[in-house]
Amino acid sequence: MGKITGFKEYKRQATPERDPLTRTKDWKDYKLPQAEEEVKIQGARCMDCGIPTCHTGTDMNKLTTGCPVNHLIPEWNDLVYQDQWKEALDREHERNNFPEFTGIACPAPCEGSCVLGINEPPVAIRSIERAIIEKGFDEGWVKPEPPKIRTEKQVAVVGSGPAGLAAAAQLNKAGHHVTVFERDDRVGGLLTYGIPEMKLSYDVVKRRVDILEKEGITFKTNVDVGNDYPVDDLEEDFDAVIMCGGATNHRDLVVEGRELKGVHFAMDFLHANTKSLLDSDLKDGNYISAKDKDVIVIGGGDTGTDCIATSLRHECKSLTQFDYNERKPDERDDTTNPWPQWPVIHRVEYGHKEAKAVFGEDPRAYQVLTKKFVGDESGHIKEVHTVNVEQYIDENGNRMKKEIPGTEKVWPAQLVLLAIGFTGPEQGLIKEMGVKTDPRSNVKAEYGQYKTNKKGVFAAGDMRRGQSLIVWAINEGREAARECDRYLMGATQLP
Ligand SMILES: Cc1cc2nc3c(=O)[nH]c(=O)nc-3n(C[C@H](O)[C@H](O)[C@H](O)COP(=O)(O)OP(=O)(O)OC[C@H]3O[C@@H](n4cnc5c(N)ncnc54)[C@H](O)[C@@H]3O)c2cc1C
Ligand code: SF4
């Protein structure tokens, strides 16, 4: 513990952000680098707890609590305070192949379970994590480290999201020949084509992928396994396969008028925007534009926030985000949501701050149920009809919603984005591979084992656990690599 009284002396200071209004004019990172001296002070706030709840990742009350990759948080907090950045970086890489992805975009369940957070703002763990890895890149400490000895084993990883990248990195470290197949034209999965540029830039993904390539991993993009590359060939050409295809089957909203032009899935909007942005700085026009439109985002989660931030950069005319649920409380409810659970509280995310800066108010409308979409004579969306709902508990103790009479409302809209979640992985590859699924349509493979019903075929990340977080995908990719290595070699030294 670097400074025994640090937590009493210093206030929390997370990574600073750019001015919300100015940043909507470009697609650059909405955050600013944090001064090194400030990061050191933040490290001094850590109490080096006897039981560091921050680094023990688990699910509590269906929410992630603590760090799923079991980051050595108290150790690197202390090392940063002691100015030992290189050692701090080594500690980060011990548990996480890609601290830059989590340091930028993880919701930081570690902070939700930080002991200091019981009665003070928690240690700014994510900000410190990001500062360490960025210094590592700046100083040239992060460089390719190819394995010294190669095995004869060939492993295919299907999907290049964080799970696939982590699995590939670990298997390559063990000396196997790894090929990553990706159906998109760029590597990264949802890191590239889900999370928008201003939150997690493609340069950050590419910077890491370049290192992985130099370490010996082969990336094959524009290859849809099961279509462009038959699974029979895959099984013949490789000694083992790890399926990391994600879980991006959209949840649809089945209401009257759903077929109208201008009603899109959020992912179609976000994917096309990033592709056009990276290909041509949006000059090719191959994206769904929100310019001068009244935009309604249906869904109160993070994907919805990304749609808000993207629409603002297109210069939309107005913006509303519907949330079916009530506004969450400002403070956690200690009886139903006690520490160290992830605090279920009202959060103002980057997109909400930006919307307020542009339009003068938070864009969210709560307890809103979409009843129907109404179009104009050309079949284009013109209005969204809604009613408000309220929660009640039925005779069996279940939480239910009922409509509140007299709260019907009509909203003008020329663009509607559906961000109401995902139902599981796409089933095409799963069927082709002949692997079994669980009742939620995810690939059936036990956590910690990752083995499917087919010999030599493993599954990890969202494709196994359902739509989740980057940090869980990294955890599963690493662990699936360990089990795959054990299968190939009879024993493993991978963590
Ligand atoms: C809009 C959005 C924003 C998000 N923001 C955050 C965030 O800020 N923080 C966070 O922690 N989590 C966030 N998430 C969740 C997070 O991105 C995912 O949990 C994580 O990316 C899952 O990683 P994965 O590797 O399992 O799958 P994915 O990232 O989905 O990658 C799967 C890859 O497999 C490829 N693939 C699928 N089938 C085939 C095939 N047959 N052949 C070849 N390739 C194939 C896909 O093209 C894709 O590239 C967000 C999710 C979305 C949708
Ligand atoms: S729980 Fe918080 S204060 Fe305790 S070791 Fe972890 S980061 Fe430090």
Side-chain angles (χ1 to χ4, degrees):
M1 184 170 176
K3 184 155 197 192
I4 295 169
T5 52
F7 68 96
K8 288 188 188 168
E9 284 176 45
Y10 305 125
K11 295 265 170 266
R12 175 185 159 100
Q13 182 62 61
T15 314
E17 294 183 11
R18 298 166 60 207
D19 170 61
L21 188 60
T22 317
R23 72 193 190 211
T24 60
K25 312 283 179 229
D26 61 57
W27 299 90
K28 292 189 201 122
D29 192 346
Y30 77 90
K31 289 192 175 166
L32 290 164
Q34 195 167 16
E36 207 168 296
E37 279 311 306
E38 179 57 51
V39 181
K40 283 173 64 180
I41 285 175
Q42 293 303 307
R45 293 186 72 236
C46 176
M47 303 183 293
D48 192 16
C49 301
I51 299 174
T53 37
C54 56
H55 98 143
T56 319
T58 182
D59 277 337
M60 287 173 95
N61 204 9
K62 296 190 188 153
L63 296 165
T64 298
T65 298
C67 178
V69 290
N70 306 126
H71 249 317
L72 303 170
I73 296 164
E75 290 188 33
W76 40 259
N77 281 341
D78 181 40
L79 286 164
V80 163
Y81 179 65
Q82 307 288 356
D83 221 2
Q84 292 179 263
W85 292 81
K86 173 79 170 62
E87 288 75 9
L89 179 69
D90 293 343
R91 293 296 193 289
E92 270 194 351
H93 275 143
E94 241 181 75
R95 298 293 167 93
N96 185 350
N97 304 72
F98 316 121
E100 64 274 32
F101 303 157
T102 42
I104 290 174
C106 187
C110 52
E111 294 185 10
S113 67
C114 171
V115 177
L116 189 55
I118 297 175
N119 55 4
E120 284 281 333
V123 174
I125 302 171
R126 182 181 54 195
S127 306
I128 300 171
E129 179 185 18
R130 181 172 183 179
I132 296 170
I133 181 65
E134 286 309 328
K135 186 162 172 76
F137 276 106
D138 289 351
E139 298 285 339
W141 296 332
V142 188
K143 47 179 186 275
E145 290 174 14
K148 296 204 169 56
I149 302 169
R150 284 278 174 200
T151 69
E152 295 300 308
K153 306 290 185 190
Q154 299 281 344
V155 185
V157 175
V158 184
S160 69
L165 293 179
Q170 291 297 94
L171 286 162
N172 186 58
K173 257 189 201 160
H176 306 307
H177 299 270
V178 184
T179 306
V180 179
F181 293 96
E182 172 53 58
R183 66 181 173 192
D184 267 323
D185 60 337
R186 288 183 177 87
V187 170
L190 292 175
L191 301 173
T192 298
Y193 281 129
I195 304 172
E197 270 295 282
M198 55 284 189
K199 186 164 180 196
L200 176 56
S201 132
Y202 178 61
D203 287 346
V204 171
V205 179
K206 183 81 174 54
R207 179 176 69 176
R208 181 59 77 166
V209 170
D210 287 347
I211 289 178
L212 296 177
E213 265 185 320
K214 287 184 185 137
E215 288 179 336
I217 297 172
T218 305
F219 288 93
K220 296 202 171 190
T221 49
N222 292 311
V223 180
D224 188 343
V225 175
N227 288 319
D228 307 322
Y229 192 93
V231 296
D232 288 348
D233 292 0
L234 190 77
E235 290 178 44
E236 209 173 294
D237 297 345
F238 294 92
D239 299 295
V241 178
I242 307 200
M243 297 172 70
C244 300
T248 43
N249 243 356
H250 314 279
R251 188 183 300 284
D252 205 351
L253 186 65
V254 188
V255 293
E256 191 185 322
R258 169 64 186 84
E259 73 293 347
L260 289 167
K261 287 180 224 147
V263 181
H264 299 275
F265 287 116
M267 276 309 300
D268 293 341
F269 176 69
L270 295 172
H271 187 295
N273 184 73
T274 301
K275 177 151 170 53
S276 175
L277 188 64
L278 296 175
D279 284 353
S280 69
D281 201 16
L282 297 181
K283 291 196 179 62
D284 62 14
N286 292 333
Y287 64 98
I288 301 159
S289 175
K291 189 165 174 57
D292 298 331
K293 291 179 183 161
D294 297 300
V295 179
I296 304 265
V297 177
I298 302 182
D302 289 343
T303 304
T305 308
D306 292 335
C307 290
I308 290 177
T310 303
S311 301
L312 288 169
R313 282 159 179 77
H314 288 179
E315 298 178 338
C316 60
K317 185 167 147 207
S318 75
L319 192 57
T320 311
Q321 182 181 27
F322 291 170
D323 194 331
Y324 183 57
N325 297 307
E326 286 81 8
R327 184 189 185 280
K328 295 187 181 63
D330 290 322
E331 302 276 328
R332 73 155 88 219
D333 181 334
D334 285 329
T335 51
T336 56
N337 178 220
W339 175 90
Q341 287 180 12
W342 173 250
V344 182
I345 53 171
H346 178 73
R347 293 172 197 273
V348 183
E349 305 291 357
Y350 76 109
H352 303 131
K353 289 179 197 166
E354 292 171 358
K356 185 161 185 194
V358 174
F359 295 117
E361 58 183 3
D362 190 286
R364 286 170 283 190
Y366 297 94
Q367 298 171 249
V368 175
L369 173 69
T370 304
K371 297 290 284 183
K372 66 174 175 179
F373 301 126
V374 175
D376 59 19
E377 45 299 332
S378 64
H380 204 286
I381 179 85
K382 160 176 102 162
E383 289 166 352
V384 182
H385 291 228
T386 65
V387 66
N388 285 12
V389 287
E390 65 185 348
Q391 189 174 291
Y392 70 98
I393 309 290
D394 74 3
E395 59 278 10
N396 302 317
N398 299 318
R399 283 186 191 168
M400 308 293 284
K401 293 267 198 301
K402 66 175 180 209
E403 295 181 14
I404 307 172
T407 59
E408 295 78 8
K409 192 167 171 180
V410 177
W411 308 72
Q414 298 85 49
L415 177 63
V416 172
L417 301 169
L418 304 178
I420 51 175
F422 301 88
T423 57
E426 292 170 31
Q427 296 298 303
L429 175 67
I430 294 176
K431 289 213 168 72
E432 288 278 327
M433 292 287 294
V435 294
K436 287 191 179 152
T437 51
D438 67 14
R440 296 188 305 145
S441 80
N442 301 319
V443 175
K444 193 171 175 186
E446 203 180 312
Y447 179 65
Q449 303 289 319
Y450 309 97
K451 285 185 194 126
T452 69
N453 56 301
K454 287 200 74 176
K455 198 161 177 275
V457 179
F458 299 80
D462 283 3
M463 194 166 221
R464 195 205 67 80
R465 71 185 296 128
Q467 184 69 228
S468 180
L469 297 176
I470 297 166
V471 68
W472 276 119
I474 295 173
N475 161 261
E476 294 212 358
R478 286 168 64 86
E479 293 192 352
R482 179 193 66 209
E483 295 312 310
C484 181
D485 185 39
R486 199 194 308 279
Y487 163 78
L488 292 170
M489 308 304 286
T492 182
Q493 296 200 331
L494 290 178

